[in-house]
Amino acid sequence: MPDPILDNLNPEQLEAVTAPDGPLLIVAGAGSGKTRVITRRIAYLLRDRHYQPWQIFAATFTNKAAEEMKNRVVQLVGGRQLAHELPIATFHSLCARILRREAPALGLPNNFIICDERDQLSAVKHVMRELGIKDTEVKPSYAQEIINRCKLNMLEPEEVGQVIESRHEQTLAAIYEAYQKYIRASHALDFEDLIWMTVRLFQEHPEILERYQQRYRQVLVDEYQDINATQFLLVRLLAAGHHNIAVVGDEDQTIYSWRGADIAHLLEFEKYFPERRIIHLEQNYRSKANILRAASTLIANNRLRFNKTLRTEAPPGPPVVVLSAETEYGEAEAVAHLVAALHRHASFQYKDIAIFYRIAALSRVYEEKLRELNIPHRVVGGVRFYDRAEIKDMLAYLQVVQNPANTIALLRIINCPKRGIGDKSLERLLDEARRRGVPLYEVLREVATSGQLVSGTAATGIQRFVQSIETWREFAHNHSILELYEKIRRESEYDASLGDPAQLEVRSRLEHLDELANAITQFELSQPKATLADYLENVSLVNPTDDLRDTQNAVAMMTLHMAKGLEFRVVFIVGCSEGLLPYRRSQEEGRTEEERRLMYVGMTRARDFLVLCHCDSRAVYGERQFSPASLFLSELPTSGVLHVRAEQASFRELALLANSDGSSGEIATQGELEEAPTSSPRSQGLLGRRVRHALLGEGEIIGIEGSGRQTTYLLRLDDGQLVRLLARHAQLEVCG
DNA sequence: TGTTCGTCGATTTTT
DNA sequence: TCGACGAACA
Ligand SMILES: Nc1ncnc2c1ncn2[C@@H]1O[C@H](COP(=O)(O)OP(=O)(O)OP(=O)(O)O)[C@@H](O)[C@H]1O
């Protein structure tokens, strides 16, 4: 009888899935079935070892990964309820759940709110103003970055020196300290706090830790190479009693070092759990051999890695194509045409195809060209829905209603729409609040009755504002989130403040606000018992595009980071230029190897066909700049890689090539031809000869394909271009 | 207090 | 090219 959980596993995979209790370390390369193993193991624990869903703590680093894992487990084990009961989620979300219950033990309120990057930046700016630090002296975004880097490593303000050495050390420490005070007073936690405070909770309250150790009998971490020091400490605390901790990782796929990820933790696992069982998976089940070889050759240039074996039994498949164009428009156009051809002439559906890029800003051109050709596509996690100003404003209203002490949100909406409460008044109110050590809202409430401290217009504005908030708070007690939202939207007259609905810009904002209503409805339907606090937490931690199901038949577009863990039959990596991939700033900060890993991750997502794109010049800040090909392109093997100029490319031919399995030699690749030339005797002699073409100039014949009338030459011109010419038309002159 | 216009400056990746 | 911020005006 077929067993969905234990069938279709190789012996090593099976060993990993069914390993007995105790620490388990699985180190394995791309496409070797790591995710398959960890999901099957969870299913196995549930079905055959009779664990309850809530006893399993499975952490991931992205919402997408969590969603994917949960879906797979539910598919294996079944049960509608299961999806809600299984604690498979990101570290941040698992921690938020714990803190929501236990916050009081740390002196924090249960209804804390989670502030995102933007809130964080505005908080930093706020405290810098209060401290009288000019943003020319220290850039707020820099201060933010340093604060986060400290918090990732559980460093207090006085320890700032450990992450930077600069004359600003004192200043940054002061900002950090003030920032902490400010967000605490606002009843807010930032992303880093979620992890760190959970660790602190466990360290300071052994009895609470013990409860969670009792509860979570199995700890699992996917993509373990991405773990940072705080997260590692967290899982060590949880597993301290039973040591039932299983992790899977691949050091070649560490792409989050800027979030504190460190390969060292892979080694340290063995230090903390010396009795660990270690399993290597060495067979790649995903990619055609040419793709795997190209990726392996590339990553071999990294020094910071173990030497893993990764083999495949797959046929060579089509060559990896390096597609070059003159400009980014040419590049995008070529991509779009090739996508169309793959759809039309080959067996690929749109949803089999993905386009990856280093930075999200790059997606635009490619989107445009796809749209021009009417190719359905979806951008995964581009401009984040909840990042839009109008959405953030409305959510800030909900946050203030939920917890008026949240000064961060309060400041966002106090004069939006305009209520005549200007900078001057606000400053006075904030001073008063600071002097007395009470939340800003407290002061507002008093001013609303006393009318003191501010001018007439401001006082009226405050009065009406406080009045509204109080009404909404009352209303929130016995109404749904949606009802509350609609009421706020109506009574705040926010819509009108956006301007004339005849304007396109305004209309799209209004549409976003309608979409928010839809999102709230969806949420309330899926979680009927959820509170406003639950909703706001969900909003902060889960991007709605994350759970946009991949149901549409559309080309997927995303950053290389988002691509991790996924697979597609066809992958395009666009913008393979120096400065972009590897990204200049990363390179300057000494993280070239991480950029190479990023490229490696992208390449290994492909099953059948991989296209790496590049262009000679690109507009940067509106200015056209020379854009040399990526270092990584030069690190690819010569064999199994085909270089094509977009201007000369026949997309139909490329599409047919993509469909070939590379074994019959219908269209051989450059490398194969060099190694094993097969062609008619007459042409044979030309292979490797220098020739001159009337129009194209001189070059070398590096390949001969087909025979008879179909014979074609593959010619490498002296400028590096590759062209394919039908032999009977090619008027070539042999040189020398 | 609110609006508009010009200048300047800056760009990663995710929770 | 876009957006954030400051100065000058309504
Ligand atoms: N034993 C197997 N037999 C057949 N196919 C397998 C087997 N193991 C894994 N696969 C397939 O190989 C592909 C890669 O598996 P999976 O995503 O689990 O790998 P991974 O190691 O997590 O990859 P990566 O680290 O690159 O994200 C999937 O399509 C999976 O279905």
Side-chain angles (χ1 to χ4, degrees), chain A residues 488-525:
Chain A
I488 292 175
R489 193 172 158 191
R490 217 171 330 112
E491 294 178 2
S492 67
E493 293 168 358
Y494 185 87
D495 284 19
S497 76
L498 288 174
D500 183 3
Q503 278 177 281
L504 215 62
E505 176 68 26
V506 175
R507 203 157 55 218
S508 108
R509 283 169 185 236
L510 291 173
E511 273 164 21
H512 294 150
L513 292 177
D514 292 340
E515 269 176 57
L516 180 56
N518 282 334
I520 293 174
T521 312
Q522 288 274 316
F523 179 81
E524 291 196 294
L525 275 176

mmCIF file of all heavy atoms in Angstrom, chain A residues 488-525:
data_model
loop_
_atom_site.group_PDB
_atom_site.id
_atom_site.type_symbol
_atom_site.label_atom_id
_atom_site.label_comp_id
_atom_site.label_asym_id
_atom_site.label_seq_id
_atom_site.Cartn_x
_atom_site.Cartn_y
_atom_site.Cartn_z
ATOM 1 N N ILE A 488 -14.683 54.135 11.285
ATOM 2 C CA ILE A 488 -13.559 55.069 11.367
ATOM 3 C C ILE A 488 -13.367 55.766 10.032
ATOM 4 O O ILE A 488 -13.193 56.979 9.958
ATOM 5 C CB ILE A 488 -12.263 54.343 11.781
ATOM 6 C CG1 ILE A 488 -12.365 53.848 13.214
ATOM 7 C CG2 ILE A 488 -11.064 55.277 11.638
ATOM 8 C CD1 ILE A 488 -11.186 53.022 13.675
ATOM 9 N N ARG A 489 -13.427 54.978 8.992
ATOM 10 C CA ARG A 489 -13.185 55.545 7.670
ATOM 11 C C ARG A 489 -14.218 56.619 7.349
ATOM 12 O O ARG A 489 -13.900 57.665 6.796
ATOM 13 C CB ARG A 489 -13.254 54.419 6.638
ATOM 14 C CG ARG A 489 -12.718 54.823 5.285
ATOM 15 C CD ARG A 489 -12.616 53.637 4.360
ATOM 16 N NE ARG A 489 -12.616 54.100 2.982
ATOM 17 C CZ ARG A 489 -12.750 53.311 1.937
ATOM 18 N NH1 ARG A 489 -12.888 52.001 2.105
ATOM 19 N NH2 ARG A 489 -12.729 53.812 0.725
ATOM 20 N N ARG A 490 -15.449 56.348 7.734
ATOM 21 C CA ARG A 490 -16.527 57.298 7.476
ATOM 22 C C ARG A 490 -16.340 58.548 8.330
ATOM 23 O O ARG A 490 -16.303 59.671 7.844
ATOM 24 C CB ARG A 490 -17.866 56.627 7.799
ATOM 25 C CG ARG A 490 -18.987 57.004 6.884
ATOM 26 C CD ARG A 490 -20.252 56.145 7.116
ATOM 27 N NE ARG A 490 -20.020 54.786 7.582
ATOM 28 C CZ ARG A 490 -20.342 54.340 8.802
ATOM 29 N NH1 ARG A 490 -20.888 55.150 9.692
ATOM 30 N NH2 ARG A 490 -20.137 53.076 9.128
ATOM 31 N N GLU A 491 -16.187 58.335 9.633
ATOM 32 C CA GLU A 491 -16.242 59.458 10.568
ATOM 33 C C GLU A 491 -14.970 60.296 10.598
ATOM 34 O O GLU A 491 -14.995 61.457 10.992
ATOM 35 C CB GLU A 491 -16.601 58.945 11.967
ATOM 36 C CG GLU A 491 -18.010 58.374 11.996
ATOM 37 C CD GLU A 491 -18.394 57.809 13.350
ATOM 38 O OE1 GLU A 491 -17.573 57.899 14.279
ATOM 39 O OE2 GLU A 491 -19.510 57.279 13.463
ATOM 40 N N SER A 492 -13.869 59.700 10.198
ATOM 41 C CA SER A 492 -12.632 60.493 10.185
ATOM 42 C C SER A 492 -12.569 61.358 8.924
ATOM 43 O O SER A 492 -11.728 62.231 8.811
ATOM 44 C CB SER A 492 -11.414 59.588 10.234
ATOM 45 O OG SER A 492 -11.322 58.831 9.035
ATOM 46 N N GLU A 493 -13.469 61.087 8.015
ATOM 47 C CA GLU A 493 -13.476 61.792 6.723
ATOM 48 C C GLU A 493 -12.124 61.674 6.034
ATOM 49 O O GLU A 493 -11.647 62.597 5.379
ATOM 50 C CB GLU A 493 -13.866 63.258 6.925
ATOM 51 C CG GLU A 493 -15.298 63.382 7.385
ATOM 52 C CD GLU A 493 -15.665 64.766 7.888
ATOM 53 O OE1 GLU A 493 -14.783 65.635 7.921
ATOM 54 O OE2 GLU A 493 -16.834 64.956 8.247
ATOM 55 N N TYR A 494 -11.549 60.512 6.230
ATOM 56 C CA TYR A 494 -10.225 60.293 5.651
ATOM 57 C C TYR A 494 -10.288 60.308 4.126
ATOM 58 O O TYR A 494 -9.445 60.899 3.463
ATOM 59 C CB TYR A 494 -9.650 58.969 6.156
ATOM 60 C CG TYR A 494 -8.234 58.724 5.712
ATOM 61 C CD1 TYR A 494 -7.175 59.219 6.455
ATOM 62 C CD2 TYR A 494 -7.958 58.021 4.550
ATOM 63 C CE1 TYR A 494 -5.867 59.030 6.043
ATOM 64 C CE2 TYR A 494 -6.654 57.823 4.120
ATOM 65 C CZ TYR A 494 -5.614 58.319 4.876
ATOM 66 O OH TYR A 494 -4.332 58.135 4.467
ATOM 67 N N ASP A 495 -11.304 59.640 3.584
ATOM 68 C CA ASP A 495 -11.424 59.546 2.129
ATOM 69 C C ASP A 495 -11.361 60.924 1.476
ATOM 70 O O ASP A 495 -10.618 61.140 0.525
ATOM 71 C CB ASP A 495 -12.751 58.866 1.745
ATOM 72 C CG ASP A 495 -12.679 57.368 1.963
ATOM 73 O OD1 ASP A 495 -11.785 56.941 2.731
ATOM 74 O OD2 ASP A 495 -13.491 56.644 1.381
ATOM 75 N N ALA A 496 -12.166 61.834 2.036
ATOM 76 C CA ALA A 496 -12.248 63.171 1.451
ATOM 77 C C ALA A 496 -10.894 63.883 1.509
ATOM 78 O O ALA A 496 -10.533 64.630 0.606
ATOM 79 C CB ALA A 496 -13.301 63.986 2.184
ATOM 80 N N SER A 497 -10.143 63.596 2.572
ATOM 81 C CA SER A 497 -8.868 64.299 2.745
ATOM 82 C C SER A 497 -7.844 63.908 1.686
ATOM 83 O O SER A 497 -6.830 64.574 1.508
ATOM 84 C CB SER A 497 -8.300 64.020 4.135
ATOM 85 O OG SER A 497 -7.753 62.712 4.178
ATOM 86 N N LEU A 498 -8.111 62.805 1.005
ATOM 87 C CA LEU A 498 -7.151 62.361 -0.006
ATOM 88 C C LEU A 498 -7.203 63.248 -1.245
ATOM 89 O O LEU A 498 -6.248 63.299 -2.014
ATOM 90 C CB LEU A 498 -7.432 60.905 -0.415
ATOM 91 C CG LEU A 498 -7.078 59.848 0.628
ATOM 92 C CD1 LEU A 498 -7.534 58.477 0.163
ATOM 93 C CD2 LEU A 498 -5.588 59.845 0.915
ATOM 94 N N GLY A 499 -8.325 63.940 -1.431
ATOM 95 C CA GLY A 499 -8.432 64.836 -2.573
ATOM 96 C C GLY A 499 -9.520 64.412 -3.544
ATOM 97 O O GLY A 499 -10.361 63.562 -3.229
ATOM 98 N N ASP A 500 -9.474 64.995 -4.686
ATOM 99 C CA ASP A 500 -10.498 64.805 -5.701
ATOM 100 C C ASP A 500 -10.466 63.390 -6.290
ATOM 101 O O ASP A 500 -9.470 62.989 -6.884
ATOM 102 C CB ASP A 500 -10.241 65.836 -6.815
ATOM 103 C CG ASP A 500 -11.302 65.769 -7.898
ATOM 104 O OD1 ASP A 500 -12.250 64.963 -7.727
ATOM 105 O OD2 ASP A 500 -11.177 66.502 -8.880
ATOM 106 N N PRO A 501 -11.553 62.633 -6.120
ATOM 107 C CA PRO A 501 -11.580 61.246 -6.619
ATOM 108 C C PRO A 501 -11.483 61.157 -8.134
ATOM 109 O O PRO A 501 -11.309 60.067 -8.675
ATOM 110 C CB PRO A 501 -12.940 60.726 -6.152
ATOM 111 C CG PRO A 501 -13.460 61.717 -5.179
ATOM 112 C CD PRO A 501 -12.808 63.028 -5.499
ATOM 113 N N ALA A 502 -11.598 62.272 -8.811
ATOM 114 C CA ALA A 502 -11.456 62.243 -10.264
ATOM 115 C C ALA A 502 -9.998 61.988 -10.644
ATOM 116 O O ALA A 502 -9.711 61.464 -11.711
ATOM 117 C CB ALA A 502 -11.934 63.561 -10.864
ATOM 118 N N GLN A 503 -9.093 62.341 -9.731
ATOM 119 C CA GLN A 503 -7.679 62.098 -10.013
ATOM 120 C C GLN A 503 -7.370 60.611 -9.921
ATOM 121 O O GLN A 503 -7.831 59.925 -9.008
ATOM 122 C CB GLN A 503 -6.810 62.839 -9.001
ATOM 123 C CG GLN A 503 -6.582 64.290 -9.326
ATOM 124 C CD GLN A 503 -5.780 64.935 -8.227
ATOM 125 O OE1 GLN A 503 -6.328 65.265 -7.177
ATOM 126 N NE2 GLN A 503 -4.498 65.064 -8.451
ATOM 127 N N LEU A 504 -6.574 60.160 -10.848
ATOM 128 C CA LEU A 504 -6.252 58.738 -10.910
ATOM 129 C C LEU A 504 -5.593 58.257 -9.623
ATOM 130 O O LEU A 504 -5.943 57.226 -9.054
ATOM 131 C CB LEU A 504 -5.320 58.501 -12.101
ATOM 132 C CG LEU A 504 -5.538 57.174 -12.824
ATOM 133 C CD1 LEU A 504 -6.950 57.125 -13.396
ATOM 134 C CD2 LEU A 504 -4.495 56.991 -13.908
ATOM 135 N N GLU A 505 -4.624 59.040 -9.188
ATOM 136 C CA GLU A 505 -3.865 58.740 -7.983
ATOM 137 C C GLU A 505 -4.793 58.544 -6.774
ATOM 138 O O GLU A 505 -4.680 57.576 -6.029
ATOM 139 C CB GLU A 505 -2.888 59.900 -7.734
ATOM 140 C CG GLU A 505 -2.080 59.824 -6.468
ATOM 141 C CD GLU A 505 -1.082 58.694 -6.510
ATOM 142 O OE1 GLU A 505 -0.664 58.305 -7.606
ATOM 143 O OE2 GLU A 505 -0.741 58.194 -5.414
ATOM 144 N N VAL A 506 -5.722 59.481 -6.640
ATOM 145 C CA VAL A 506 -6.650 59.425 -5.508
ATOM 146 C C VAL A 506 -7.542 58.200 -5.612
ATOM 147 O O VAL A 506 -7.809 57.508 -4.626
ATOM 148 C CB VAL A 506 -7.495 60.710 -5.447
ATOM 149 C CG1 VAL A 506 -8.557 60.610 -4.355
ATOM 150 C CG2 VAL A 506 -6.599 61.909 -5.220
ATOM 151 N N ARG A 507 -7.983 57.942 -6.836
ATOM 152 C CA ARG A 507 -8.881 56.803 -6.995
ATOM 153 C C ARG A 507 -8.202 55.501 -6.631
ATOM 154 O O ARG A 507 -8.788 54.627 -6.003
ATOM 155 C CB ARG A 507 -9.420 56.746 -8.428
ATOM 156 C CG ARG A 507 -10.726 55.971 -8.463
ATOM 157 C CD ARG A 507 -11.604 56.271 -9.625
ATOM 158 N NE ARG A 507 -10.895 56.092 -10.870
ATOM 159 C CZ ARG A 507 -11.057 56.883 -11.912
ATOM 160 N NH1 ARG A 507 -11.873 57.910 -11.850
ATOM 161 N NH2 ARG A 507 -10.390 56.663 -13.007
ATOM 162 N N SER A 508 -6.934 55.390 -7.003
ATOM 163 C CA SER A 508 -6.252 54.139 -6.688
ATOM 164 C C SER A 508 -6.080 53.998 -5.166
ATOM 165 O O SER A 508 -6.162 52.904 -4.615
ATOM 166 C CB SER A 508 -4.922 54.064 -7.434
ATOM 167 O OG SER A 508 -3.838 54.227 -6.577
ATOM 168 N N ARG A 509 -5.887 55.127 -4.483
ATOM 169 C CA ARG A 509 -5.797 55.051 -3.020
ATOM 170 C C ARG A 509 -7.101 54.597 -2.399
ATOM 171 O O ARG A 509 -7.123 53.798 -1.469
ATOM 172 C CB ARG A 509 -5.411 56.411 -2.456
ATOM 173 C CG ARG A 509 -3.960 56.681 -2.651
ATOM 174 C CD ARG A 509 -3.566 58.091 -2.357
ATOM 175 N NE ARG A 509 -2.174 58.233 -2.712
ATOM 176 C CZ ARG A 509 -1.231 58.660 -1.874
ATOM 177 N NH1 ARG A 509 -1.554 59.034 -0.663
ATOM 178 N NH2 ARG A 509 0.011 58.713 -2.258
ATOM 179 N N LEU A 510 -8.192 55.121 -2.945
ATOM 180 C CA LEU A 510 -9.491 54.719 -2.428
ATOM 181 C C LEU A 510 -9.705 53.225 -2.662
ATOM 182 O O LEU A 510 -10.252 52.523 -1.814
ATOM 183 C CB LEU A 510 -10.598 55.528 -3.107
ATOM 184 C CG LEU A 510 -10.622 57.019 -2.717
ATOM 185 C CD1 LEU A 510 -11.631 57.788 -3.552
ATOM 186 C CD2 LEU A 510 -10.936 57.170 -1.237
ATOM 187 N N GLU A 511 -9.229 52.770 -3.821
ATOM 188 C CA GLU A 511 -9.352 51.341 -4.101
ATOM 189 C C GLU A 511 -8.573 50.521 -3.090
ATOM 190 O O GLU A 511 -9.013 49.470 -2.636
ATOM 191 C CB GLU A 511 -8.851 51.038 -5.514
ATOM 192 C CG GLU A 511 -9.941 51.217 -6.558
ATOM 193 C CD GLU A 511 -9.376 51.307 -7.968
ATOM 194 O OE1 GLU A 511 -8.229 50.848 -8.186
ATOM 195 O OE2 GLU A 511 -10.075 51.850 -8.842
ATOM 196 N N HIS A 512 -7.397 51.015 -2.727
ATOM 197 C CA HIS A 512 -6.602 50.314 -1.717
ATOM 198 C C HIS A 512 -7.365 50.230 -0.401
ATOM 199 O O HIS A 512 -7.339 49.206 0.285
ATOM 200 C CB HIS A 512 -5.262 51.017 -1.500
ATOM 201 C CG HIS A 512 -4.372 50.968 -2.697
ATOM 202 N ND1 HIS A 512 -3.461 51.957 -2.980
ATOM 203 C CD2 HIS A 512 -4.267 50.064 -3.683
ATOM 204 C CE1 HIS A 512 -2.829 51.646 -4.107
ATOM 205 N NE2 HIS A 512 -3.308 50.494 -4.544
ATOM 206 N N LEU A 513 -8.036 51.318 -0.056
ATOM 207 C CA LEU A 513 -8.794 51.308 1.195
ATOM 208 C C LEU A 513 -9.941 50.300 1.126
ATOM 209 O O LEU A 513 -10.262 49.652 2.128
ATOM 210 C CB LEU A 513 -9.314 52.710 1.508
ATOM 211 C CG LEU A 513 -8.217 53.728 1.868
ATOM 212 C CD1 LEU A 513 -8.806 55.113 2.091
ATOM 213 C CD2 LEU A 513 -7.433 53.278 3.084
ATOM 214 N N ASP A 514 -10.521 50.154 -0.065
ATOM 215 C CA ASP A 514 -11.554 49.129 -0.232
ATOM 216 C C ASP A 514 -10.947 47.731 -0.108
ATOM 217 O O ASP A 514 -11.531 46.831 0.488
ATOM 218 C CB ASP A 514 -12.228 49.260 -1.602
ATOM 219 C CG ASP A 514 -13.047 50.539 -1.703
ATOM 220 O OD1 ASP A 514 -13.398 51.094 -0.644
ATOM 221 O OD2 ASP A 514 -13.325 50.982 -2.834
ATOM 222 N N GLU A 515 -9.769 47.608 -0.685
ATOM 223 C CA GLU A 515 -9.086 46.317 -0.588
ATOM 224 C C GLU A 515 -8.801 45.954 0.860
ATOM 225 O O GLU A 515 -8.873 44.804 1.251
ATOM 226 C CB GLU A 515 -7.738 46.375 -1.332
ATOM 227 C CG GLU A 515 -7.808 45.957 -2.777
ATOM 228 C CD GLU A 515 -6.454 46.139 -3.441
ATOM 229 O OE1 GLU A 515 -5.472 45.551 -2.957
ATOM 230 O OE2 GLU A 515 -6.370 46.908 -4.428
ATOM 231 N N LEU A 516 -8.457 46.975 1.640
ATOM 232 C CA LEU A 516 -8.201 46.724 3.057
ATOM 233 C C LEU A 516 -9.454 46.170 3.729
ATOM 234 O O LEU A 516 -9.382 45.242 4.534
ATOM 235 C CB LEU A 516 -7.731 48.011 3.746
ATOM 236 C CG LEU A 516 -7.416 47.896 5.239
ATOM 237 C CD1 LEU A 516 -6.366 46.816 5.499
ATOM 238 C CD2 LEU A 516 -6.919 49.228 5.803
ATOM 239 N N ALA A 517 -10.600 46.726 3.353
ATOM 240 C CA ALA A 517 -11.858 46.207 3.897
ATOM 241 C C ALA A 517 -12.022 44.732 3.520
ATOM 242 O O ALA A 517 -12.413 43.902 4.352
ATOM 243 C CB ALA A 517 -13.035 47.027 3.369
ATOM 244 N N ASN A 518 -11.668 44.411 2.283
ATOM 245 C CA ASN A 518 -11.731 43.012 1.856
ATOM 246 C C ASN A 518 -10.808 42.140 2.669
ATOM 247 O O ASN A 518 -11.172 41.044 3.106
ATOM 248 C CB ASN A 518 -11.319 42.889 0.383
ATOM 249 C CG ASN A 518 -12.440 43.298 -0.535
ATOM 250 O OD1 ASN A 518 -13.602 43.211 -0.159
ATOM 251 N ND2 ASN A 518 -12.087 43.761 -1.721
ATOM 252 N N ALA A 519 -9.588 42.643 2.872
ATOM 253 C CA ALA A 519 -8.604 41.868 3.620
ATOM 254 C C ALA A 519 -9.105 41.603 5.036
ATOM 255 O O ALA A 519 -8.955 40.501 5.564
ATOM 256 C CB ALA A 519 -7.276 42.615 3.661
ATOM 257 N N ILE A 520 -9.732 42.624 5.628
ATOM 258 C CA ILE A 520 -10.252 42.448 6.988
ATOM 259 C C ILE A 520 -11.360 41.400 6.990
ATOM 260 O O ILE A 520 -11.404 40.512 7.844
ATOM 261 C CB ILE A 520 -10.773 43.791 7.546
ATOM 262 C CG1 ILE A 520 -9.603 44.762 7.745
ATOM 263 C CG2 ILE A 520 -11.514 43.586 8.860
ATOM 264 C CD1 ILE A 520 -10.007 46.161 8.150
ATOM 265 N N THR A 521 -12.242 41.479 5.998
ATOM 266 C CA THR A 521 -13.318 40.501 5.888
ATOM 267 C C THR A 521 -12.756 39.085 5.805
ATOM 268 O O THR A 521 -13.182 38.179 6.521
ATOM 269 C CB THR A 521 -14.158 40.768 4.627
ATOM 270 O OG1 THR A 521 -14.486 42.158 4.593
ATOM 271 C CG2 THR A 521 -15.421 39.951 4.640
ATOM 272 N N GLN A 522 -11.786 38.944 4.910
ATOM 273 C CA GLN A 522 -11.122 37.643 4.742
ATOM 274 C C GLN A 522 -10.588 37.121 6.068
ATOM 275 O O GLN A 522 -10.790 35.972 6.431
ATOM 276 C CB GLN A 522 -9.926 37.806 3.793
ATOM 277 C CG GLN A 522 -10.304 38.030 2.363
ATOM 278 C CD GLN A 522 -10.506 36.705 1.670
ATOM 279 O OE1 GLN A 522 -9.705 35.797 1.860
ATOM 280 N NE2 GLN A 522 -11.575 36.581 0.919
ATOM 281 N N PHE A 523 -9.894 38.006 6.759
ATOM 282 C CA PHE A 523 -9.293 37.603 8.027
ATOM 283 C C PHE A 523 -10.352 37.164 9.024
ATOM 284 O O PHE A 523 -10.220 36.136 9.683
ATOM 285 C CB PHE A 523 -8.466 38.767 8.596
ATOM 286 C CG PHE A 523 -7.825 38.452 9.915
ATOM 287 C CD1 PHE A 523 -6.629 37.730 9.957
ATOM 288 C CD2 PHE A 523 -8.405 38.846 11.106
ATOM 289 C CE1 PHE A 523 -6.034 37.428 11.166
ATOM 290 C CE2 PHE A 523 -7.807 38.538 12.323
ATOM 291 C CZ PHE A 523 -6.618 37.827 12.360
ATOM 292 N N GLU A 524 -11.413 37.949 9.116
ATOM 293 C CA GLU A 524 -12.448 37.613 10.096
ATOM 294 C C GLU A 524 -13.162 36.322 9.730
ATOM 295 O O GLU A 524 -13.601 35.583 10.610
ATOM 296 C CB GLU A 524 -13.444 38.769 10.215
ATOM 297 C CG GLU A 524 -12.800 39.981 10.881
ATOM 298 C CD GLU A 524 -13.828 41.001 11.363
ATOM 299 O OE1 GLU A 524 -14.499 41.584 10.506
ATOM 300 O OE2 GLU A 524 -13.919 41.196 12.583
ATOM 301 N N LEU A 525 -13.244 36.040 8.433
ATOM 302 C CA LEU A 525 -13.864 34.790 8.012
ATOM 303 C C LEU A 525 -12.999 33.598 8.391
ATOM 304 O O LEU A 525 -13.483 32.579 8.871
ATOM 305 C CB LEU A 525 -14.082 34.792 6.495
ATOM 306 C CG LEU A 525 -15.366 35.464 6.024
ATOM 307 C CD1 LEU A 525 -15.419 35.484 4.506
ATOM 308 C CD2 LEU A 525 -16.580 34.744 6.595
#
